Amino acid sequence: FRGTAYHRALELIDFAGRPDERDEAWLRSQLNAMTSAGRLSGEQRQSIRIRDIADMVFSNLGFRMAEADRRHELYREAQFVMGVAVSALYPEVDSEETVLIQGIIDAYFEENGELILVDYKTDADAAGAIERHRPQLELYAQALAGITGLPVRERVLYLVRAGRAYQV
């Protein structure tokens, strides 16, 4: 439940309006406005630890996302469907069949004609999370490159509870 709340908050936060300095009061007012507008439930709001969201929004990654948002080059909750060969997903299977993969990319943004893919997770164990989510980020990067025609320069896994971004 908390993961859904964090995802929703990060989908709605006004990165373009983010102050240059860490300001948890600004962030709290953002979350309260989301709740007042009915875009974030009261229960979701209560499950969000301000520090966790502030660590992300006011990180280097958050700064880059804010810059992209100001350029109108930050995209969130992007849905996609793509065909993938069964053998690409399961190398042990000898098949030429294609399966459809459907997903929602948490966020991506453009920097210098290349894309930065961002996926948020609430896993506590960084090492396990990176390996567990690597295949998902690889598929998302393929989909994003196919949809946009732009190369994906970075695949970033942001662990909300750890307060850190990892290159995958």
Side-chain angles (χ1 to χ4, degrees):
F1 181 80
R2 179 173 280 152
T4 302
Y6 282 124
H7 275 83
R8 183 70 174 148
L10 290 168
E11 174 189 357
L12 298 172
I13 284 174
D14 175 20
F15 276 92
R18 168 193 171 273
D20 290 336
E21 300 296 319
R22 185 179 179 113
D23 185 346
E24 292 185 11
W26 173 84
L27 192 54
R28 195 172 285 107
S29 71
Q30 285 271 308
L31 296 171
N32 291 340
M34 290 173 204
T35 305
S36 296
R39 301 182 81 197
L40 187 69
S41 75
E43 190 177 15
Q44 286 175 316
R45 171 64 185 89
Q46 290 303 313
S47 73
I48 294 172
R49 291 188 290 247
I50 294 288
R51 184 195 73 232
D52 290 343
I53 298 287
D55 286 348
M56 191 279 155
V57 171
F58 295 103
S59 69
N60 180 54
L61 177 63
F63 172 80
R64 292 169 68 197
M65 291 173 73
E67 290 296 308
D69 198 15
R70 290 179 187 123
R71 295 187 310 268
H72 306 287
E73 295 176 342
L74 172 64
Y75 307 93
R76 293 180 267 185
E77 298 300 310
Q79 297 183 24
F80 71 90
V81 176
M82 71 179 214
V84 177
V86 170
S87 58
L89 295 173
Y90 305 102
E92 68 278 6
V93 176
D94 183 25
S95 172
E96 296 304 313
E97 286 189 59
T98 298
V99 293
L100 289 180
I101 303 277
Q102 177 179 345
I104 300 174
I105 297 169
D106 291 337
Y108 70 94
F109 57 96
E110 190 175 332
E111 278 183 348
N112 303 316
E114 296 176 306
L115 300 177
I116 314 307
L117 168 67
V118 180
D119 195 50
Y120 314 119
K121 299 293 183 195
T122 54
D123 300 51
D125 171 37
I130 291 167
E131 290 315 307
R132 191 169 39 260
H133 299 297
R134 183 183 307 279
Q136 176 189 0
L137 267 71
E138 288 173 358
L139 282 172
Y140 282 17
Q142 281 179 11
L144 197 51
I147 292 164
T148 64
L150 296 173
V152 176
R153 184 177 74 222
E154 295 176 43
R155 295 178 313 228
V156 179
L157 179 64
Y158 187 86
L159 299 183
V160 178
R161 288 174 44 197
R164 292 212 35 217
Y166 297 89
Q167 298 291 326
V168 176

Short mmCIF file of all heavy atoms in Angstrom, two decimals, residues 84-138:
data_model
loop_
_atom_site.label_atom_id
_atom_site.label_comp_id
_atom_site.label_asym_id
_atom_site.label_seq_id
_atom_site.Cartn_x
_atom_site.Cartn_y
_atom_site.Cartn_z
N VAL A 84 7.72 -9.13 -27.58
CA VAL A 84 9.05 -9.65 -27.26
C VAL A 84 9.06 -11.14 -27.60
O VAL A 84 8.11 -11.85 -27.30
CB VAL A 84 9.37 -9.45 -25.75
CG1 VAL A 84 10.71 -10.05 -25.40
CG2 VAL A 84 9.32 -7.99 -25.38
N ALA A 85 10.15 -11.59 -28.21
CA ALA A 85 10.30 -13.01 -28.51
C ALA A 85 10.35 -13.80 -27.21
O ALA A 85 11.03 -13.39 -26.26
CB ALA A 85 11.55 -13.25 -29.33
N VAL A 86 9.64 -14.92 -27.16
CA VAL A 86 9.64 -15.78 -25.97
C VAL A 86 11.08 -16.15 -25.61
O VAL A 86 11.45 -16.15 -24.43
CB VAL A 86 8.79 -17.05 -26.21
CG1 VAL A 86 8.98 -18.06 -25.10
CG2 VAL A 86 7.32 -16.68 -26.34
N SER A 87 11.90 -16.44 -26.62
CA SER A 87 13.29 -16.84 -26.36
C SER A 87 14.12 -15.73 -25.71
O SER A 87 15.10 -16.00 -25.02
CB SER A 87 13.96 -17.32 -27.65
OG SER A 87 13.92 -16.29 -28.61
N ALA A 88 13.72 -14.47 -25.90
CA ALA A 88 14.43 -13.36 -25.26
C ALA A 88 14.12 -13.32 -23.77
O ALA A 88 14.96 -12.94 -22.95
CB ALA A 88 14.06 -12.04 -25.90
N LEU A 89 12.90 -13.72 -23.42
CA LEU A 89 12.51 -13.74 -22.01
C LEU A 89 12.97 -15.02 -21.31
O LEU A 89 13.36 -15.00 -20.15
CB LEU A 89 10.99 -13.63 -21.88
CG LEU A 89 10.37 -12.32 -22.34
CD1 LEU A 89 8.85 -12.40 -22.30
CD2 LEU A 89 10.86 -11.16 -21.48
N TYR A 90 12.89 -16.13 -22.04
CA TYR A 90 13.24 -17.44 -21.49
C TYR A 90 14.22 -18.12 -22.45
O TYR A 90 13.80 -18.86 -23.35
CB TYR A 90 11.99 -18.30 -21.31
CG TYR A 90 10.94 -17.63 -20.46
CD1 TYR A 90 9.82 -17.03 -21.04
CD2 TYR A 90 11.07 -17.59 -19.07
CE1 TYR A 90 8.86 -16.41 -20.25
CE2 TYR A 90 10.11 -16.97 -18.29
CZ TYR A 90 9.01 -16.38 -18.89
OH TYR A 90 8.06 -15.77 -18.11
N PRO A 91 15.52 -17.87 -22.30
CA PRO A 91 16.52 -18.42 -23.23
C PRO A 91 16.47 -19.94 -23.37
O PRO A 91 16.84 -20.48 -24.40
CB PRO A 91 17.86 -17.97 -22.63
CG PRO A 91 17.52 -16.81 -21.77
CD PRO A 91 16.12 -17.04 -21.27
N GLU A 92 15.98 -20.63 -22.34
CA GLU A 92 15.92 -22.10 -22.39
C GLU A 92 14.79 -22.61 -23.28
O GLU A 92 14.74 -23.78 -23.63
CB GLU A 92 15.79 -22.68 -20.97
CG GLU A 92 14.45 -22.41 -20.28
CD GLU A 92 14.32 -21.03 -19.63
OE1 GLU A 92 15.23 -20.18 -19.77
OE2 GLU A 92 13.29 -20.79 -18.98
N VAL A 93 13.88 -21.71 -23.70
CA VAL A 93 12.76 -22.10 -24.56
C VAL A 93 13.10 -21.82 -26.01
O VAL A 93 13.44 -20.69 -26.37
CB VAL A 93 11.47 -21.34 -24.15
CG1 VAL A 93 10.33 -21.66 -25.10
CG2 VAL A 93 11.09 -21.64 -22.71
N ASP A 94 12.99 -22.84 -26.84
CA ASP A 94 13.28 -22.69 -28.26
C ASP A 94 11.96 -22.40 -28.97
O ASP A 94 11.22 -23.31 -29.34
CB ASP A 94 13.92 -23.97 -28.81
CG ASP A 94 14.30 -23.84 -30.27
OD1 ASP A 94 14.52 -22.69 -30.72
OD2 ASP A 94 14.35 -24.87 -30.96
N SER A 95 11.67 -21.10 -29.11
CA SER A 95 10.41 -20.71 -29.73
C SER A 95 10.59 -19.37 -30.43
O SER A 95 11.30 -18.49 -29.95
CB SER A 95 9.31 -20.58 -28.67
OG SER A 95 8.15 -20.04 -29.23
N GLU A 96 9.93 -19.23 -31.55
CA GLU A 96 9.94 -17.98 -32.29
C GLU A 96 8.68 -17.15 -32.00
O GLU A 96 8.47 -16.12 -32.60
CB GLU A 96 10.06 -18.25 -33.80
CG GLU A 96 11.37 -18.92 -34.18
CD GLU A 96 12.59 -18.13 -33.73
OE1 GLU A 96 12.64 -16.90 -33.94
OE2 GLU A 96 13.49 -18.75 -33.12
N GLU A 97 7.86 -17.64 -31.10
CA GLU A 97 6.63 -16.92 -30.77
C GLU A 97 6.94 -15.60 -30.09
O GLU A 97 7.97 -15.44 -29.45
CB GLU A 97 5.74 -17.76 -29.85
CG GLU A 97 5.05 -18.92 -30.54
CD GLU A 97 4.03 -19.55 -29.64
OE1 GLU A 97 3.10 -18.84 -29.21
OE2 GLU A 97 4.16 -20.76 -29.38
N THR A 98 6.00 -14.68 -30.25
CA THR A 98 6.12 -13.36 -29.62
C THR A 98 5.04 -13.23 -28.56
O THR A 98 3.91 -13.65 -28.76
CB THR A 98 5.95 -12.25 -30.68
OG1 THR A 98 6.99 -12.40 -31.64
CG2 THR A 98 6.02 -10.88 -30.06
N VAL A 99 5.42 -12.65 -27.44
CA VAL A 99 4.44 -12.37 -26.38
C VAL A 99 4.36 -10.85 -26.22
O VAL A 99 5.32 -10.13 -26.50
CB VAL A 99 4.81 -13.02 -25.03
CG1 VAL A 99 4.72 -14.53 -25.13
CG2 VAL A 99 6.17 -12.59 -24.55
N LEU A 100 3.20 -10.38 -25.78
CA LEU A 100 3.03 -8.96 -25.53
C LEU A 100 3.37 -8.65 -24.08
O LEU A 100 2.93 -9.35 -23.17
CB LEU A 100 1.60 -8.52 -25.82
CG LEU A 100 1.19 -8.49 -27.28
CD1 LEU A 100 -0.26 -8.04 -27.42
CD2 LEU A 100 2.10 -7.58 -28.09
N ILE A 101 4.16 -7.63 -23.91
CA ILE A 101 4.53 -7.15 -22.57
C ILE A 101 3.86 -5.79 -22.41
O ILE A 101 3.96 -4.93 -23.28
CB ILE A 101 6.06 -6.95 -22.44
CG1 ILE A 101 6.80 -8.24 -22.75
CG2 ILE A 101 6.42 -6.40 -21.09
CD1 ILE A 101 6.90 -9.20 -21.63
N GLN A 102 3.17 -5.62 -21.30
CA GLN A 102 2.51 -4.35 -21.00
C GLN A 102 3.11 -3.82 -19.71
O GLN A 102 3.36 -4.58 -18.77
CB GLN A 102 1.01 -4.59 -20.82
CG GLN A 102 0.24 -3.38 -20.45
CD GLN A 102 -1.26 -3.70 -20.31
OE1 GLN A 102 -1.74 -4.73 -20.76
NE2 GLN A 102 -1.98 -2.81 -19.69
N GLY A 103 3.36 -2.53 -19.65
CA GLY A 103 3.93 -1.96 -18.44
C GLY A 103 3.65 -0.47 -18.33
O GLY A 103 3.11 0.14 -19.26
N ILE A 104 4.01 0.06 -17.19
CA ILE A 104 3.90 1.50 -16.95
C ILE A 104 5.25 1.97 -16.41
O ILE A 104 5.72 1.49 -15.38
CB ILE A 104 2.79 1.82 -15.93
CG1 ILE A 104 1.44 1.33 -16.45
CG2 ILE A 104 2.75 3.32 -15.64
CD1 ILE A 104 0.29 1.48 -15.46
N ILE A 105 5.86 2.88 -17.15
CA ILE A 105 7.15 3.45 -16.76
C ILE A 105 6.87 4.56 -15.75
O ILE A 105 6.13 5.50 -16.04
CB ILE A 105 7.90 3.97 -18.00
CG1 ILE A 105 8.20 2.80 -18.94
CG2 ILE A 105 9.16 4.73 -17.59
CD1 ILE A 105 8.71 3.23 -20.32
N ASP A 106 7.49 4.46 -14.57
CA ASP A 106 7.25 5.45 -13.52
C ASP A 106 7.59 6.85 -14.00
O ASP A 106 6.79 7.78 -13.85
CB ASP A 106 8.06 5.14 -12.26
CG ASP A 106 7.57 3.88 -11.55
OD1 ASP A 106 6.39 3.50 -11.73
OD2 ASP A 106 8.37 3.29 -10.80
N ALA A 107 8.78 7.01 -14.56
CA ALA A 107 9.17 8.33 -15.05
C ALA A 107 10.34 8.18 -16.02
O ALA A 107 11.11 7.23 -15.94
CB ALA A 107 9.60 9.24 -13.90
N TYR A 108 10.42 9.13 -16.93
CA TYR A 108 11.60 9.26 -17.76
C TYR A 108 11.70 10.72 -18.18
O TYR A 108 10.73 11.46 -18.14
CB TYR A 108 11.60 8.32 -18.97
CG TYR A 108 10.61 8.62 -20.06
CD1 TYR A 108 10.98 9.38 -21.17
CD2 TYR A 108 9.32 8.13 -20.01
CE1 TYR A 108 10.07 9.64 -22.20
CE2 TYR A 108 8.41 8.38 -21.03
CZ TYR A 108 8.79 9.13 -22.11
OH TYR A 108 7.90 9.40 -23.12
N PHE A 109 12.92 11.10 -18.53
CA PHE A 109 13.12 12.48 -18.97
C PHE A 109 14.25 12.52 -19.98
O PHE A 109 15.04 11.58 -20.08
CB PHE A 109 13.36 13.44 -17.79
CG PHE A 109 14.52 13.10 -16.90
CD1 PHE A 109 15.76 13.70 -17.09
CD2 PHE A 109 14.37 12.21 -15.85
CE1 PHE A 109 16.83 13.40 -16.26
CE2 PHE A 109 15.44 11.91 -15.01
CZ PHE A 109 16.66 12.51 -15.20
N GLU A 110 14.26 13.61 -20.72
CA GLU A 110 15.26 13.79 -21.76
C GLU A 110 16.36 14.73 -21.27
O GLU A 110 16.08 15.73 -20.63
CB GLU A 110 14.60 14.36 -23.01
CG GLU A 110 15.50 14.37 -24.22
CD GLU A 110 14.80 14.83 -25.48
OE1 GLU A 110 13.57 14.65 -25.60
OE2 GLU A 110 15.50 15.38 -26.34
N GLU A 111 17.60 14.35 -21.57
CA GLU A 111 18.76 15.20 -21.34
C GLU A 111 19.65 15.09 -22.57
O GLU A 111 20.10 13.98 -22.91
CB GLU A 111 19.57 14.72 -20.12
CG GLU A 111 19.07 15.18 -18.81
CD GLU A 111 19.97 14.74 -17.65
OE1 GLU A 111 20.87 13.88 -17.83
OE2 GLU A 111 19.75 15.25 -16.56
N ASN A 112 19.88 16.20 -23.24
CA ASN A 112 20.79 16.23 -24.38
C ASN A 112 20.46 15.18 -25.44
O ASN A 112 21.36 14.51 -25.95
CB ASN A 112 22.24 16.09 -23.92
CG ASN A 112 22.61 17.16 -22.92
OD1 ASN A 112 22.29 18.33 -23.10
ND2 ASN A 112 23.28 16.77 -21.85
N GLY A 113 19.18 15.02 -25.74
CA GLY A 113 18.76 14.10 -26.79
C GLY A 113 18.80 12.64 -26.42
O GLY A 113 18.62 11.77 -27.28
N GLU A 114 19.02 12.34 -25.13
CA GLU A 114 19.01 10.96 -24.65
C GLU A 114 18.05 10.86 -23.48
O GLU A 114 17.71 11.87 -22.86
CB GLU A 114 20.41 10.53 -24.21
CG GLU A 114 21.42 10.52 -25.34
CD GLU A 114 22.81 10.18 -24.85
OE1 GLU A 114 23.30 10.85 -23.92
OE2 GLU A 114 23.40 9.23 -25.41
N LEU A 115 17.61 9.64 -23.19
CA LEU A 115 16.61 9.45 -22.15
C LEU A 115 17.20 8.86 -20.88
O LEU A 115 18.14 8.06 -20.93
CB LEU A 115 15.49 8.55 -22.66
CG LEU A 115 14.74 9.07 -23.88
CD1 LEU A 115 13.70 8.06 -24.33
CD2 LEU A 115 14.09 10.42 -23.59
N ILE A 116 16.60 9.27 -19.77
CA ILE A 116 16.93 8.73 -18.45
C ILE A 116 15.64 8.07 -17.96
O ILE A 116 14.61 8.72 -17.80
CB ILE A 116 17.34 9.85 -17.46
CG1 ILE A 116 18.33 10.84 -18.07
CG2 ILE A 116 17.81 9.24 -16.15
CD1 ILE A 116 19.57 10.27 -18.68
N LEU A 117 15.70 6.77 -17.75
CA LEU A 117 14.57 5.98 -17.28
C LEU A 117 14.64 5.88 -15.76
O LEU A 117 15.71 5.59 -15.21
CB LEU A 117 14.65 4.58 -17.91
CG LEU A 117 13.75 3.48 -17.37
CD1 LEU A 117 12.28 3.80 -17.66
CD2 LEU A 117 14.13 2.15 -17.99
N VAL A 118 13.52 6.14 -15.08
CA VAL A 118 13.50 6.10 -13.62
C VAL A 118 12.40 5.16 -13.16
O VAL A 118 11.26 5.26 -13.61
CB VAL A 118 13.24 7.51 -13.03
CG1 VAL A 118 13.23 7.46 -11.50
CG2 VAL A 118 14.27 8.51 -13.53
N ASP A 119 12.75 4.25 -12.26
CA ASP A 119 11.78 3.33 -11.68
C ASP A 119 11.89 3.43 -10.16
O ASP A 119 12.99 3.34 -9.62
CB ASP A 119 12.05 1.90 -12.15
CG ASP A 119 10.87 0.98 -11.88
OD1 ASP A 119 9.74 1.33 -12.24
OD2 ASP A 119 11.10 -0.10 -11.29
N TYR A 120 10.76 3.64 -9.50
CA TYR A 120 10.74 3.76 -8.03
C TYR A 120 10.36 2.41 -7.43
O TYR A 120 9.43 1.76 -7.89
CB TYR A 120 9.68 4.76 -7.56
CG TYR A 120 9.64 6.08 -8.28
CD1 TYR A 120 8.50 6.47 -8.97
CD2 TYR A 120 10.73 6.95 -8.27
CE1 TYR A 120 8.43 7.69 -9.62
CE2 TYR A 120 10.67 8.17 -8.92
CZ TYR A 120 9.52 8.53 -9.60
OH TYR A 120 9.45 9.73 -10.24
N LYS A 121 11.04 2.04 -6.38
CA LYS A 121 10.71 0.83 -5.64
C LYS A 121 10.83 1.12 -4.14
O LYS A 121 11.56 2.01 -3.73
CB LYS A 121 11.67 -0.33 -5.99
CG LYS A 121 11.65 -0.74 -7.43
CD LYS A 121 10.34 -1.38 -7.84
CE LYS A 121 10.40 -1.86 -9.28
NZ LYS A 121 9.10 -2.15 -9.84
N THR A 122 10.11 0.32 -3.35
CA THR A 122 10.18 0.50 -1.90
C THR A 122 10.92 -0.66 -1.23
O THR A 122 10.84 -0.82 -0.02
CB THR A 122 8.76 0.65 -1.29
OG1 THR A 122 7.96 -0.45 -1.71
CG2 THR A 122 8.12 1.96 -1.70
N ASP A 123 11.67 -1.44 -2.01
CA ASP A 123 12.47 -2.54 -1.45
C ASP A 123 13.44 -1.99 -0.40
O ASP A 123 13.94 -0.88 -0.54
CB ASP A 123 13.32 -3.21 -2.54
CG ASP A 123 12.49 -3.80 -3.67
OD1 ASP A 123 11.65 -3.08 -4.21
OD2 ASP A 123 12.71 -4.97 -4.00
N ALA A 124 13.72 -2.80 0.61
CA ALA A 124 14.66 -2.38 1.65
C ALA A 124 16.09 -2.81 1.33
O ALA A 124 17.05 -2.14 1.69
CB ALA A 124 14.23 -2.96 3.00
N ASP A 125 16.25 -3.93 0.63
CA ASP A 125 17.57 -4.50 0.33
C ASP A 125 18.04 -4.05 -1.04
O ASP A 125 17.52 -4.50 -2.06
CB ASP A 125 17.48 -6.03 0.40
CG ASP A 125 18.74 -6.71 -0.09
OD1 ASP A 125 19.84 -6.19 0.16
OD2 ASP A 125 18.62 -7.78 -0.72
N ALA A 126 19.04 -3.16 -1.07
CA ALA A 126 19.50 -2.59 -2.35
C ALA A 126 20.08 -3.64 -3.28
O ALA A 126 19.71 -3.71 -4.45
CB ALA A 126 20.53 -1.50 -2.09
N ALA A 127 20.98 -4.49 -2.78
CA ALA A 127 21.63 -5.47 -3.66
C ALA A 127 20.60 -6.40 -4.27
O ALA A 127 20.61 -6.65 -5.48
CB ALA A 127 22.67 -6.25 -2.88
N GLY A 128 19.71 -6.90 -3.49
CA GLY A 128 18.67 -7.80 -4.01
C GLY A 128 17.74 -7.09 -4.96
O GLY A 128 17.34 -7.65 -5.98
N ALA A 129 17.41 -5.85 -4.65
CA ALA A 129 16.47 -5.08 -5.49
C ALA A 129 17.06 -4.82 -6.86
O ALA A 129 16.36 -4.93 -7.87
CB ALA A 129 16.11 -3.77 -4.80
N ILE A 130 18.32 -4.47 -6.91
CA ILE A 130 18.95 -4.16 -8.20
C ILE A 130 18.88 -5.37 -9.12
O ILE A 130 18.46 -5.26 -10.27
CB ILE A 130 20.40 -3.67 -7.99
CG1 ILE A 130 20.38 -2.30 -7.31
CG2 ILE A 130 21.15 -3.62 -9.32
CD1 ILE A 130 21.72 -1.85 -6.78
N GLU A 131 19.28 -6.52 -8.63
CA GLU A 131 19.26 -7.72 -9.46
C GLU A 131 17.83 -8.18 -9.77
O GLU A 131 17.56 -8.62 -10.88
CB GLU A 131 20.07 -8.85 -8.82
CG GLU A 131 21.56 -8.57 -8.83
CD GLU A 131 22.07 -8.06 -10.18
OE1 GLU A 131 21.81 -8.71 -11.22
OE2 GLU A 131 22.72 -7.00 -10.21
N ARG A 132 16.95 -8.05 -8.82
CA ARG A 132 15.56 -8.46 -9.01
C ARG A 132 14.86 -7.61 -10.07
O ARG A 132 14.07 -8.11 -10.85
CB ARG A 132 14.82 -8.37 -7.67
CG ARG A 132 13.47 -9.00 -7.64
CD ARG A 132 12.87 -9.13 -6.23
NE ARG A 132 13.10 -8.03 -5.32
CZ ARG A 132 14.03 -7.99 -4.36
NH1 ARG A 132 14.85 -9.01 -4.18
NH2 ARG A 132 14.15 -6.95 -3.56
N HIS A 133 15.18 -6.31 -10.12
CA HIS A 133 14.47 -5.41 -11.02
C HIS A 133 15.22 -5.11 -12.32
O HIS A 133 14.67 -4.46 -13.20
CB HIS A 133 14.13 -4.11 -10.29
CG HIS A 133 13.24 -4.33 -9.11
ND1 HIS A 133 11.97 -4.84 -9.23
CD2 HIS A 133 13.45 -4.15 -7.78
CE1 HIS A 133 11.43 -4.95 -8.01
NE2 HIS A 133 12.31 -4.54 -7.13
N ARG A 134 16.45 -5.59 -12.45
CA ARG A 134 17.24 -5.35 -13.66
C ARG A 134 16.51 -5.79 -14.94
O ARG A 134 16.42 -5.02 -15.89
CB ARG A 134 18.61 -6.02 -13.57
CG ARG A 134 19.49 -5.75 -14.78
CD ARG A 134 20.84 -6.48 -14.70
NE ARG A 134 21.56 -6.24 -13.46
CZ ARG A 134 22.31 -5.17 -13.21
NH1 ARG A 134 22.44 -4.23 -14.12
NH2 ARG A 134 22.93 -5.03 -12.05
N PRO A 135 15.94 -7.01 -14.99
CA PRO A 135 15.26 -7.42 -16.23
C PRO A 135 14.09 -6.48 -16.59
O PRO A 135 13.89 -6.16 -17.77
CB PRO A 135 14.75 -8.83 -15.92
CG PRO A 135 15.63 -9.32 -14.82
CD PRO A 135 15.98 -8.10 -14.02
N GLN A 136 13.35 -6.03 -15.60
CA GLN A 136 12.24 -5.11 -15.84
C GLN A 136 12.75 -3.80 -16.44
O GLN A 136 12.21 -3.32 -17.44
CB GLN A 136 11.49 -4.82 -14.54
CG GLN A 136 10.38 -3.81 -14.71
CD GLN A 136 9.78 -3.35 -13.39
OE1 GLN A 136 10.18 -3.78 -12.32
NE2 GLN A 136 8.81 -2.46 -13.47
N LEU A 137 13.81 -3.25 -15.87
CA LEU A 137 14.35 -1.99 -16.40
C LEU A 137 14.92 -2.16 -17.80
O LEU A 137 14.82 -1.25 -18.62
CB LEU A 137 15.38 -1.39 -15.44
CG LEU A 137 14.77 -0.40 -14.44
CD1 LEU A 137 13.92 -1.08 -13.41
CD2 LEU A 137 15.83 0.44 -13.81
N GLU A 138 15.50 -3.31 -18.08
CA GLU A 138 16.01 -3.57 -19.43
C GLU A 138 14.86 -3.60 -20.44
O GLU A 138 14.97 -3.01 -21.53
CB GLU A 138 16.82 -4.87 -19.46
CG GLU A 138 18.16 -4.72 -18.75
CD GLU A 138 18.93 -6.03 -18.59
OE1 GLU A 138 18.41 -7.10 -19.00
OE2 GLU A 138 20.05 -5.97 -18.06
#
